[in-house]
Amino acid sequence: MSTPTLEKTEAAPAATGEAPRRTRRRGERGPLGAALLHGGLAVASLIALAPVAWLFYLSLGPDKDDYLHPGKIAGKLSFSNYSFVLQHTGFFDWFKSTMIVACGTTLIGVLVAATTGYAVSRMRFPGYKQLMWVLLLTQAFPIAILIVPMYQIFSDLGLIDTYWALIIINCTTAVPYSAWLLKGYFDTIPFEIDEAGRVDGLSPFGTFFRLILPLARPGLAVAAFYNFITAVGEVAFATTFLLDDSKYTFAVGLQTFVSEHDAQWNYMAATAVLIAIPVSAFFYLVQKNLVTGLTAGGTKG
């Protein structure tokens, strides 16, 4: 008697002809939610790309006053501005100086920030909490009030008109934020890894360099990118401390297109587009780790 009952029970879904209702998993978006999300992301992307596209469009106008009449640029598009910048300005000197300062700031700044963040994350020495707040406090002083004392200090040290002056100054700007970022990222790495390194006979420095840093690669990528763009975009100190035009960085070189009574906006636009190339290339190198580093670095503090 039980066999027919089982057959009826098993055949019941087929007899009704109705597909089983699919249960939505937690966090899964419906069609409307997905459409709104992708639509919002598309709009945000357009907003972010619009200024870049507009700058590139203006850079194709051959006359310095074309930005006043952008509609007329479409009929006379030209790459003459790029030719002039590459052939008749100190662009490649600016590029060399910028890369020296930016790479120096990135290497030294990330090393100092990583060691500082790791020490505060793992060690409990007197004043370790106050150290991080002091680093944060250094960001409260405006650049304008720091230029004169910093100039006097570097003048006494003989560092005026040198790359080292800018590297040191950029590190003072970038290290505090990077140290906070990496401290938060090191907090997410289990202490057991440090203990395993000590059991294997590694020194604290060996544990840090051989075990912790490889695991902290996403956080290091974010810190490196922040240090790099800080050095590339810095203007005030570079303008004050660099006297030789062959040592100008991009930020200072752009100012050569502006005089008291005139501004060559077409050349500035072309130079700005060219400046974006090395920054974009650096971003491409580290972009795989940026999202992970940004999110993980803020989970603990």
Side-chain angles (χ1 to χ4, degrees):
M1 297 295 293
S2 61
T3 304
T5 305
L6 290 175
E7 291 177 353
K8 289 181 180 179
T9 304
E10 293 174 356
T16 60
E18 295 180 359
R21 181 175 297 178
R22 180 175 177 272
T23 303
R24 185 182 301 172
R25 296 189 297 269
R26 175 181 293 183
E28 184 179 1
R29 301 181 182 87
L32 178 60
L36 291 176
L37 175 63
H38 287 85
L41 291 175
V43 172
S45 299
L46 290 176
I47 294 174
L49 293 175
V52 179
W54 184 252
L55 180 67
F56 177 71
Y57 176 71
L58 292 179
S59 71
L60 299 178
D63 299 324
K64 64 180 181 181
D65 295 327
D66 281 338
Y67 74 98
L68 297 173
H69 310 283
K72 298 180 179 180
I73 296 178
K76 51 179 180 179
L77 297 179
S78 172
F79 287 94
S80 58
N81 295 328
Y82 293 93
S83 300
F84 178 86
V85 170
L86 294 175
Q87 297 177 8
H88 302 289
T89 68
F91 178 84
F92 292 103
D93 290 332
W94 305 341
F95 176 80
K96 181 190 71 173
S97 300
T98 301
M99 290 300 102
I100 291 175
V101 173
C103 293
T105 301
T106 301
L107 292 175
I108 297 175
V110 171
L111 178 62
V112 174
T115 52
T116 303
Y118 179 75
V120 176
S121 174
R122 292 297 196 263
M123 304 175 186
R124 295 297 177 262
F125 52 88
Y128 75 95
K129 290 184 178 179
Q130 291 77 4
L131 172 63
M132 298 303 291
W133 288 110
V134 169
L135 288 176
L136 189 63
L137 183 63
T138 60
Q139 304 301 291
F141 295 96
I143 293 178
I145 67 173
L146 296 176
I147 289 180
V148 173
M150 294 293 285
Y151 189 93
Q152 183 64 47
I153 293 173
F154 286 123
S155 179
D156 294 339
L157 296 174
L159 294 178
I160 297 298
D161 198 28
T162 64
Y163 297 130
W164 278 110
L166 287 185
I167 292 174
I168 295 172
I169 289 175
N170 290 330
C171 285
T172 62
T173 302
V175 164
Y177 170 78
S178 300
W180 272 93
L181 173 73
L182 290 174
K183 189 265 182 188
Y185 196 89
F186 289 137
D187 286 343
T188 66
I189 299 178
F191 283 87
E192 288 76 10
I193 294 179
D194 300 67
E195 296 173 355
R198 296 190 186 97
V199 171
D200 290 340
L202 293 176
S203 65
F205 282 102
T207 301
F208 174 66
F209 285 105
R210 298 181 63 180
L211 299 181
I212 302 301
L213 285 187
L215 295 175
R217 188 178 302 168
L220 295 174
V222 177
F225 184 68
Y226 176 75
N227 281 256
F228 188 84
I229 62 175
T230 297
V232 171
E234 201 284 317
V235 178
F237 288 113
T239 303
T240 304
F241 295 153
L242 294 180
L243 307 178
D244 187 352
D245 55 3
S246 65
K247 295 182 180 179
Y248 284 174
T249 59
F250 280 142
V252 184
L254 275 174
Q255 299 183 36
T256 61
F257 298 119
V258 180
S259 62
E260 184 177 358
H261 303 290
D262 189 21
Q264 298 169 312
W265 295 105
N266 52 332
Y267 296 147
M268 291 182 65
T271 306
V273 173
L274 292 173
I275 291 173
I277 294 176
V279 178
S280 301
F282 189 83
F283 173 79
Y284 178 78
L285 292 175
V286 301
Q287 56 91 20
K288 292 183 180 179
N289 297 310
L290 283 181
V291 175
T292 304
L294 286 170
T295 55
T299 55
K300 292 181 67 177

